[in-house]
Short mmCIF file of all heavy atoms in Angstrom, two decimals:
data_model
loop_
_atom_site.label_atom_id
_atom_site.label_comp_id
_atom_site.label_asym_id
_atom_site.label_seq_id
_atom_site.Cartn_x
_atom_site.Cartn_y
_atom_site.Cartn_z
N ALA A 253 -13.41 -8.21 10.52
CA ALA A 253 -12.51 -8.30 11.67
C ALA A 253 -11.28 -7.41 11.53
O ALA A 253 -10.58 -7.17 12.51
CB ALA A 253 -12.07 -9.75 11.88
N ASN A 254 -11.03 -6.90 10.32
CA ASN A 254 -9.85 -6.07 10.06
C ASN A 254 -10.21 -4.61 9.84
O ASN A 254 -9.44 -3.87 9.22
CB ASN A 254 -9.09 -6.60 8.84
CG ASN A 254 -8.44 -7.93 9.10
OD1 ASN A 254 -8.66 -8.55 10.14
ND2 ASN A 254 -7.65 -8.39 8.17
N ARG A 255 -11.37 -4.21 10.33
CA ARG A 255 -11.83 -2.82 10.20
C ARG A 255 -11.82 -2.16 11.57
O ARG A 255 -12.41 -2.69 12.51
CB ARG A 255 -13.24 -2.77 9.61
CG ARG A 255 -13.34 -3.37 8.24
CD ARG A 255 -14.76 -3.35 7.73
NE ARG A 255 -14.85 -4.04 6.45
CZ ARG A 255 -15.90 -3.96 5.65
NH1 ARG A 255 -16.95 -3.23 5.98
NH2 ARG A 255 -15.90 -4.63 4.50
N TRP A 256 -11.18 -1.00 11.64
CA TRP A 256 -11.04 -0.31 12.92
C TRP A 256 -11.43 1.14 12.77
O TRP A 256 -10.80 1.89 12.03
CB TRP A 256 -9.59 -0.40 13.41
CG TRP A 256 -9.11 -1.80 13.51
CD1 TRP A 256 -8.47 -2.53 12.54
CD2 TRP A 256 -9.26 -2.67 14.63
NE1 TRP A 256 -8.22 -3.79 13.01
CE2 TRP A 256 -8.68 -3.91 14.28
CE3 TRP A 256 -9.81 -2.52 15.90
CZ2 TRP A 256 -8.64 -4.99 15.15
CZ3 TRP A 256 -9.77 -3.58 16.76
CH2 TRP A 256 -9.19 -4.80 16.39
N LEU A 257 -12.45 1.56 13.49
CA LEU A 257 -12.88 2.95 13.57
C LEU A 257 -12.65 3.34 15.02
O LEU A 257 -13.27 2.78 15.93
CB LEU A 257 -14.35 3.07 13.17
CG LEU A 257 -14.92 4.47 12.98
CD1 LEU A 257 -14.18 5.21 11.88
CD2 LEU A 257 -16.41 4.40 12.66
N ILE A 258 -11.73 4.27 15.23
CA ILE A 258 -11.27 4.59 16.58
C ILE A 258 -11.35 6.09 16.80
O ILE A 258 -11.00 6.88 15.91
CB ILE A 258 -9.81 4.11 16.80
CG1 ILE A 258 -9.70 2.61 16.51
CG2 ILE A 258 -9.32 4.44 18.19
CD1 ILE A 258 -8.27 2.09 16.49
N TRP A 259 -11.75 6.50 17.99
CA TRP A 259 -11.75 7.91 18.33
C TRP A 259 -10.44 8.23 19.05
O TRP A 259 -10.01 7.47 19.92
CB TRP A 259 -12.93 8.26 19.25
CG TRP A 259 -13.04 9.73 19.42
CD1 TRP A 259 -13.76 10.60 18.66
CD2 TRP A 259 -12.39 10.52 20.40
NE1 TRP A 259 -13.59 11.88 19.09
CE2 TRP A 259 -12.75 11.86 20.17
CE3 TRP A 259 -11.52 10.25 21.45
CZ2 TRP A 259 -12.28 12.93 20.95
CZ3 TRP A 259 -11.06 11.30 22.23
CH2 TRP A 259 -11.44 12.62 21.97
N GLY A 260 -9.79 9.33 18.69
CA GLY A 260 -8.57 9.73 19.39
C GLY A 260 -7.64 10.53 18.52
O GLY A 260 -8.03 11.13 17.52
N ALA A 261 -6.36 10.54 18.92
CA ALA A 261 -5.30 11.25 18.18
C ALA A 261 -4.73 10.29 17.13
O ALA A 261 -4.27 9.21 17.49
CB ALA A 261 -4.22 11.71 19.14
N PRO A 262 -4.77 10.67 15.86
CA PRO A 262 -4.34 9.75 14.80
C PRO A 262 -2.97 9.12 15.02
O PRO A 262 -2.82 7.90 14.91
CB PRO A 262 -4.37 10.62 13.54
CG PRO A 262 -5.44 11.62 13.83
CD PRO A 262 -5.30 11.92 15.30
N LYS A 263 -1.96 9.91 15.31
CA LYS A 263 -0.60 9.37 15.50
C LYS A 263 -0.60 8.25 16.52
O LYS A 263 -0.09 7.16 16.29
CB LYS A 263 0.35 10.48 15.95
CG LYS A 263 1.68 9.97 16.46
CD LYS A 263 2.49 11.06 17.12
CE LYS A 263 1.99 11.32 18.52
NZ LYS A 263 2.79 12.27 19.28
N GLN A 264 -1.20 8.52 17.65
CA GLN A 264 -1.20 7.56 18.75
C GLN A 264 -2.02 6.32 18.41
O GLN A 264 -1.58 5.19 18.60
CB GLN A 264 -1.75 8.21 20.01
CG GLN A 264 -1.85 7.29 21.20
CD GLN A 264 -2.43 8.00 22.41
OE1 GLN A 264 -2.44 9.22 22.49
NE2 GLN A 264 -2.92 7.22 23.34
N GLU A 265 -3.21 6.51 17.90
CA GLU A 265 -4.11 5.39 17.64
C GLU A 265 -3.61 4.50 16.50
O GLU A 265 -3.69 3.27 16.58
CB GLU A 265 -5.53 5.88 17.35
CG GLU A 265 -6.17 6.66 18.49
CD GLU A 265 -6.30 5.88 19.79
OE1 GLU A 265 -6.33 4.62 19.76
OE2 GLU A 265 -6.38 6.51 20.85
N ILE A 266 -3.08 5.10 15.43
CA ILE A 266 -2.60 4.31 14.29
C ILE A 266 -1.39 3.47 14.70
O ILE A 266 -1.35 2.26 14.43
CB ILE A 266 -2.25 5.22 13.10
CG1 ILE A 266 -3.54 5.85 12.54
CG2 ILE A 266 -1.52 4.43 12.01
CD1 ILE A 266 -3.29 7.01 11.58
N THR A 267 -0.44 4.08 15.37
CA THR A 267 0.77 3.34 15.75
C THR A 267 0.47 2.28 16.82
O THR A 267 1.02 1.19 16.79
CB THR A 267 1.90 4.28 16.22
OG1 THR A 267 1.43 5.09 17.30
CG2 THR A 267 2.37 5.17 15.08
N GLN A 268 -0.43 2.61 17.74
CA GLN A 268 -0.80 1.64 18.77
C GLN A 268 -1.54 0.45 18.16
O GLN A 268 -1.25 -0.71 18.48
CB GLN A 268 -1.68 2.31 19.83
CG GLN A 268 -2.01 1.43 21.00
CD GLN A 268 -2.78 2.19 22.07
OE1 GLN A 268 -3.37 3.24 21.84
NE2 GLN A 268 -2.77 1.65 23.27
N LEU A 269 -2.47 0.71 17.24
CA LEU A 269 -3.20 -0.37 16.59
C LEU A 269 -2.25 -1.25 15.78
O LEU A 269 -2.36 -2.48 15.81
CB LEU A 269 -4.31 0.18 15.70
CG LEU A 269 -5.09 -0.86 14.89
CD1 LEU A 269 -5.81 -1.85 15.82
CD2 LEU A 269 -6.07 -0.19 13.95
N ALA A 270 -1.32 -0.64 15.07
CA ALA A 270 -0.35 -1.42 14.28
C ALA A 270 0.37 -2.42 15.16
O ALA A 270 0.56 -3.57 14.78
CB ALA A 270 0.64 -0.49 13.58
N GLY A 271 0.75 -1.99 16.35
CA GLY A 271 1.40 -2.91 17.29
C GLY A 271 0.47 -4.01 17.78
O GLY A 271 0.87 -5.17 17.87
N GLN A 272 -0.77 -3.66 18.08
CA GLN A 272 -1.74 -4.62 18.59
C GLN A 272 -2.05 -5.72 17.58
O GLN A 272 -2.24 -6.87 17.95
CB GLN A 272 -3.04 -3.92 18.99
CG GLN A 272 -2.94 -3.10 20.24
CD GLN A 272 -4.22 -2.30 20.48
OE1 GLN A 272 -5.12 -2.25 19.65
NE2 GLN A 272 -4.29 -1.64 21.63
N ILE A 273 -2.12 -5.37 16.32
CA ILE A 273 -2.51 -6.35 15.30
C ILE A 273 -1.28 -6.94 14.58
O ILE A 273 -1.42 -7.67 13.61
CB ILE A 273 -3.50 -5.76 14.27
CG1 ILE A 273 -2.86 -4.65 13.45
CG2 ILE A 273 -4.78 -5.31 14.96
CD1 ILE A 273 -3.72 -4.14 12.31
N ASN A 274 -0.09 -6.57 15.05
CA ASN A 274 1.17 -7.06 14.47
C ASN A 274 1.31 -6.70 12.99
O ASN A 274 1.78 -7.51 12.19
CB ASN A 274 1.33 -8.57 14.67
CG ASN A 274 1.46 -8.92 16.13
OD1 ASN A 274 2.19 -8.27 16.87
ND2 ASN A 274 0.73 -9.93 16.55
N ALA A 275 0.91 -5.48 12.64
CA ALA A 275 1.12 -5.01 11.27
C ALA A 275 2.61 -4.76 11.07
O ALA A 275 3.28 -4.25 11.96
CB ALA A 275 0.33 -3.73 11.03
N ASP A 276 3.11 -5.14 9.92
CA ASP A 276 4.52 -4.88 9.64
C ASP A 276 4.69 -3.78 8.59
O ASP A 276 5.81 -3.46 8.18
CB ASP A 276 5.26 -6.15 9.24
CG ASP A 276 4.57 -6.97 8.18
OD1 ASP A 276 3.55 -6.51 7.62
OD2 ASP A 276 5.03 -8.09 7.92
N MET A 277 3.58 -3.15 8.19
CA MET A 277 3.61 -2.00 7.29
C MET A 277 2.38 -1.16 7.55
O MET A 277 1.27 -1.70 7.68
CB MET A 277 3.62 -2.48 5.83
CG MET A 277 3.26 -1.43 4.79
SD MET A 277 4.46 -0.14 4.53
CE MET A 277 5.66 -1.01 3.53
N ILE A 278 2.57 0.15 7.62
CA ILE A 278 1.47 1.11 7.71
C ILE A 278 1.51 1.94 6.44
O ILE A 278 2.58 2.41 6.04
CB ILE A 278 1.60 2.05 8.94
CG1 ILE A 278 1.61 1.26 10.23
CG2 ILE A 278 0.47 3.09 8.93
CD1 ILE A 278 1.95 2.09 11.47
N VAL A 279 0.37 2.12 5.79
CA VAL A 279 0.28 2.95 4.59
C VAL A 279 -0.58 4.17 4.92
O VAL A 279 -1.71 4.03 5.41
CB VAL A 279 -0.34 2.17 3.40
CG1 VAL A 279 -0.47 3.07 2.18
CG2 VAL A 279 0.49 0.94 3.07
N VAL A 280 -0.01 5.37 4.68
CA VAL A 280 -0.71 6.63 4.93
C VAL A 280 -0.48 7.56 3.74
O VAL A 280 0.48 7.41 3.00
CB VAL A 280 -0.20 7.33 6.22
CG1 VAL A 280 -0.54 6.55 7.45
CG2 VAL A 280 1.28 7.63 6.15
N GLY A 281 -1.35 8.53 3.59
CA GLY A 281 -1.16 9.57 2.58
C GLY A 281 -0.39 10.73 3.18
O GLY A 281 -0.50 11.02 4.36
N SER A 282 0.39 11.41 2.32
CA SER A 282 1.17 12.55 2.79
C SER A 282 1.14 13.66 1.74
O SER A 282 1.35 13.41 0.56
CB SER A 282 2.63 12.14 3.04
OG SER A 282 3.41 13.27 3.35
N HIS A 283 0.90 14.86 2.20
CA HIS A 283 0.90 16.02 1.30
C HIS A 283 2.28 16.64 1.18
O HIS A 283 2.48 17.56 0.40
CB HIS A 283 -0.10 17.08 1.77
CG HIS A 283 -1.51 16.67 1.55
ND1 HIS A 283 -2.14 16.79 0.34
CD2 HIS A 283 -2.42 16.11 2.38
CE1 HIS A 283 -3.37 16.34 0.43
NE2 HIS A 283 -3.57 15.91 1.65
N GLY A 284 3.26 16.19 1.99
CA GLY A 284 4.61 16.73 1.91
C GLY A 284 4.66 18.20 2.21
O GLY A 284 5.26 18.99 1.50
N ARG A 285 3.99 18.62 3.24
CA ARG A 285 3.90 20.03 3.59
C ARG A 285 5.27 20.64 3.89
O ARG A 285 6.20 19.95 4.28
CB ARG A 285 3.01 20.20 4.82
CG ARG A 285 1.63 19.59 4.65
CD ARG A 285 0.59 20.66 4.49
NE ARG A 285 -0.74 20.07 4.54
CZ ARG A 285 -1.53 20.00 3.49
NH1 ARG A 285 -1.15 20.44 2.35
NH2 ARG A 285 -2.73 19.49 3.59
N HIS A 286 5.35 21.93 3.73
CA HIS A 286 6.59 22.66 4.00
C HIS A 286 6.28 23.82 4.94
O HIS A 286 5.12 24.15 5.17
CB HIS A 286 7.19 23.20 2.70
CG HIS A 286 7.48 22.11 1.72
ND1 HIS A 286 8.55 21.27 1.84
CD2 HIS A 286 6.84 21.71 0.60
CE1 HIS A 286 8.57 20.42 0.85
NE2 HIS A 286 7.53 20.65 0.07
N GLY A 287 7.29 24.43 5.47
CA GLY A 287 7.13 25.63 6.28
C GLY A 287 6.33 25.39 7.54
O GLY A 287 6.54 24.42 8.26
N LEU A 288 5.38 26.30 7.81
CA LEU A 288 4.61 26.26 9.05
C LEU A 288 3.82 24.96 9.18
O LEU A 288 3.76 24.37 10.25
CB LEU A 288 3.66 27.46 9.12
CG LEU A 288 2.85 27.63 10.40
CD1 LEU A 288 3.78 27.74 11.60
CD2 LEU A 288 1.95 28.84 10.31
N ALA A 289 3.25 24.47 8.08
CA ALA A 289 2.49 23.22 8.14
C ALA A 289 3.37 22.07 8.57
O ALA A 289 2.94 21.18 9.30
CB ALA A 289 1.85 22.93 6.78
N LEU A 290 4.63 22.07 8.12
CA LEU A 290 5.56 21.01 8.51
C LEU A 290 5.89 21.12 10.00
O LEU A 290 5.96 20.13 10.71
CB LEU A 290 6.84 21.08 7.67
CG LEU A 290 7.90 20.03 7.98
CD1 LEU A 290 7.34 18.63 7.75
CD2 LEU A 290 9.14 20.25 7.14
N LEU A 291 6.11 22.35 10.47
CA LEU A 291 6.43 22.55 11.89
C LEU A 291 5.28 22.10 12.79
O LEU A 291 5.50 21.58 13.87
CB LEU A 291 6.74 24.03 12.17
CG LEU A 291 8.06 24.53 11.58
CD1 LEU A 291 8.17 26.03 11.81
CD2 LEU A 291 9.24 23.80 12.19
N LEU A 292 4.06 22.34 12.34
CA LEU A 292 2.89 21.94 13.12
C LEU A 292 2.69 20.43 13.08
O LEU A 292 1.99 19.88 13.91
CB LEU A 292 1.64 22.66 12.62
CG LEU A 292 1.64 24.16 12.81
CD1 LEU A 292 0.41 24.77 12.15
CD2 LEU A 292 1.72 24.54 14.27
N GLY A 293 3.28 19.79 12.08
CA GLY A 293 3.20 18.34 12.00
C GLY A 293 2.05 17.85 11.15
O GLY A 293 1.14 18.58 10.84
N SER A 294 2.16 16.61 10.76
CA SER A 294 1.10 15.96 10.00
C SER A 294 0.98 14.54 10.53
O SER A 294 1.89 14.03 11.18
CB SER A 294 1.45 15.94 8.52
OG SER A 294 2.51 15.05 8.28
N THR A 295 -0.14 13.91 10.22
CA THR A 295 -0.34 12.54 10.65
C THR A 295 0.72 11.62 10.06
O THR A 295 1.31 10.81 10.76
CB THR A 295 -1.75 12.06 10.26
OG1 THR A 295 -2.71 12.89 10.92
CG2 THR A 295 -1.97 10.62 10.65
N ALA A 296 1.00 11.77 8.77
CA ALA A 296 1.99 10.89 8.13
C ALA A 296 3.36 11.05 8.78
O ALA A 296 4.04 10.06 9.06
CB ALA A 296 2.08 11.21 6.64
N ASN A 297 3.77 12.28 9.04
CA ASN A 297 5.06 12.53 9.66
C ASN A 297 5.11 11.93 11.06
O ASN A 297 6.10 11.30 11.46
CB ASN A 297 5.33 14.04 9.71
CG ASN A 297 6.72 14.35 10.18
OD1 ASN A 297 7.69 13.74 9.75
ND2 ASN A 297 6.83 15.31 11.09
N ALA A 298 4.06 12.11 11.82
CA ALA A 298 4.02 11.58 13.18
C ALA A 298 4.05 10.05 13.18
O ALA A 298 4.78 9.44 13.97
CB ALA A 298 2.77 12.09 13.91
#
């Protein structure tokens, strides 16, 4: 019941699901990108 496989944009789907299930913490991995990669954004940053 706590497994979610969703199609869509990660930023939107992860944050929306967190609200729906009343999560009070989201855990994501981050590569800590710099320069152009940072400007383009990452899922963790979003």
Side-chain angles (χ1 to χ4, degrees):
N254 291 7
R255 299 178 185 193
W256 304 91
L257 189 60
I258 304 172
W259 189 90
K263 167 190 79 175
Q264 178 181 341
E265 299 300 336
I266 293 167
T267 56
Q268 185 175 20
L269 177 61
Q272 287 173 352
I273 65 173
N274 295 315
D276 48 8
M277 164 70 78
I278 300 171
V279 178
V280 294
S282 174
H283 288 279
R285 305 252 189 249
H286 301 285
L288 184 58
L290 180 61
L291 290 175
L292 294 175
S294 70
T295 298
N297 187 45

